[in-house]
Amino acid sequence: MYDIGKIHLARSVRDAIAALSADPGAHVVCGGSDVLIKIREGKLAGCSLVSINGLKELAGVALEEDGTIVIGPATTFADVTRSPIIARHAPALGGAVDQAGGPQLRNVGTIGGNLCNGATSADSAATLLTLNARLTITGPDGRRETALEAFYEGPGRVRLAHGELLTAIRIERRDYEGFGGHYIKYAQRNAMDIATLGCAVHVRLSEDKRAVEQYRLAFGVAAPTPVRCRGVEARVNGRPLTEKTLERIGEWALEEVTPRTSWRASREFRVQLVKTLSRRATERAILNAGGAAI
């Protein structure tokens, strides 16, 4: 049983914003895979909910005329993975969200909820960071846009004011075209588990495929929030594809991340994962970008 005070079934984005604005204690629910667990555990017992489930304007994946990929935040993980647009232009994202939970969760959990809960372990976050994803946020005062990287404030906290909704996830053509990507999730079990560490890479190679033209690296559970390693990227950009470059990536990454000890893993183990996964994800991304094995 769920102790829910009341629920408003929004008929549109505008209606949802109005309902949230009228109830300072209301929480947004879509797939419910996070919110309903908190209610069952008593953390949100008796709360008010505003449901955006079923709003067509917030679901689906589209490709705009200029090549921008637009993902509705109410799109389930399964629908992101199955999208022909994602499969063609951003397959690493489809592969990342296909590792979230199990089939049941992936068919109800949404990519927007995965971002808005602020969890550093969110399987979509690291890959979206390496795709330079931007978020459209709509509230009582209109729309604003922010980089995903600037969306996170701290563990479980995002820059989303009460009354605001995430209404689109946008990836511009220049941020996916010509790139190869890969996401690796390390967890204690092969499925139905939260990441001990997640690592995402996107890379674009030089025309002769022998050097790195543009490199992007991000981690989940290596810091209080999903984190992009800008310093590593600056060091790798322009370098030839050599064994030495691959070896140094993990060492450089450790200068920017702050893995910690938790009941899932020790800091020392996560440090080793940072070095190992960054190399493996980079090797796979290079292959996916048309390069050769090093």
Side-chain angles (χ1 to χ4, degrees):
M1 297 293 291
Y2 295 96
D3 184 3
I4 299 172
K6 61 180 180 179
I7 183 167
H8 176 82
L9 303 179
R11 298 181 297 276
S12 65
V13 168
R14 181 177 296 181
D15 180 43
I17 292 171
L20 287 169
S21 300
D23 186 349
H27 295 265
V28 178
V29 64
C30 189
S33 57
D34 287 320
V35 172
L36 292 180
I37 290 174
K38 291 179 181 178
I39 293 173
R40 187 181 63 191
E41 292 176 341
K43 297 176 182 177
L44 295 177
C47 71
S48 299
L49 298 177
V50 174
S51 174
I52 58 173
N53 188 276
L55 293 185
K56 293 182 179 180
E57 59 193 300
L58 294 181
V61 181
L63 190 67
E64 295 185 337
E65 288 187 8
D66 65 356
T68 298
I69 298 171
V70 182
I71 306 171
T75 309
T76 65
F77 296 124
D79 284 338
V80 171
T81 301
R82 288 192 292 252
S83 165
I85 294 171
I86 297 298
R88 180 177 179 182
H89 299 296
L93 177 59
V97 299
D98 198 42
Q99 297 180 56
Q104 300 95 329
L105 181 135
R106 293 194 292 271
N107 278 285
V108 297
T110 62
I111 190 168
N114 201 226
L115 298 179
C116 290
N117 67 17
T120 185
S121 58
D123 287 308
S124 65
T127 303
L128 285 170
L129 282 174
T130 62
L131 287 166
N132 286 337
R134 298 191 63 81
L135 309 180
T136 300
I137 296 168
T138 307
D141 299 324
R143 293 182 181 179
R144 63 182 176 92
E145 191 171 286
T146 183
L148 175 60
E149 197 170 4
F151 187 58
Y152 293 99
E153 290 186 324
R157 304 196 312 276
V158 295
R159 291 184 171 90
L160 195 67
H162 187 77
E164 290 187 323
L165 288 177
L166 171 62
T167 50
I169 301 162
R170 304 175 64 85
I171 305 168
E172 295 185 11
R173 183 174 183 171
R174 64 184 179 184
D175 289 317
Y176 66 79
E177 191 170 64
F179 283 84
H182 191 63
Y183 172 75
I184 299 177
K185 172 181 179 176
Y186 181 91
Q188 298 300 320
R189 299 193 302 267
N190 290 330
M192 299 291 288
D193 203 358
I194 295 173
T196 303
L197 193 92
C199 178
V201 170
H202 268 90
V203 61
R204 186 167 63 197
L205 304 178
S206 60
E207 190 173 348
D208 62 7
K209 306 298 182 183
R210 294 182 179 180
V212 178
E213 186 175 284
Q214 193 170 153
Y215 181 75
R216 301 177 190 157
L217 172 69
F219 290 97
V221 209
T225 66
V227 59
R228 179 95 173 256
C229 294
R230 297 281 185 175
V232 178
E233 295 172 3
R235 286 167 155 173
V236 174
N237 289 340
R239 282 181 174 264
L241 293 176
T242 64
E243 177 68 24
K244 184 177 180 180
T245 298
L246 288 178
E247 287 180 356
R248 299 299 300 278
I249 286 172
E251 298 172 9
W252 291 331
L254 289 173
E255 298 176 13
E256 296 188 61
V257 300
T258 54
R260 65 181 180 85
T261 295
S262 72
W263 67 271
R264 292 184 181 278
S266 67
R267 178 187 182 279
E268 291 75 17
F269 184 52
R270 286 194 168 103
V271 164
Q272 183 60 39
L273 287 177
V274 167
K275 292 191 290 186
T276 302
L277 298 193
S278 59
R279 175 177 180 134
R280 291 180 183 175
T282 299
E283 289 175 327
R284 288 293 301 274
I286 288 170
L287 292 175
N288 291 336
I294 298 174

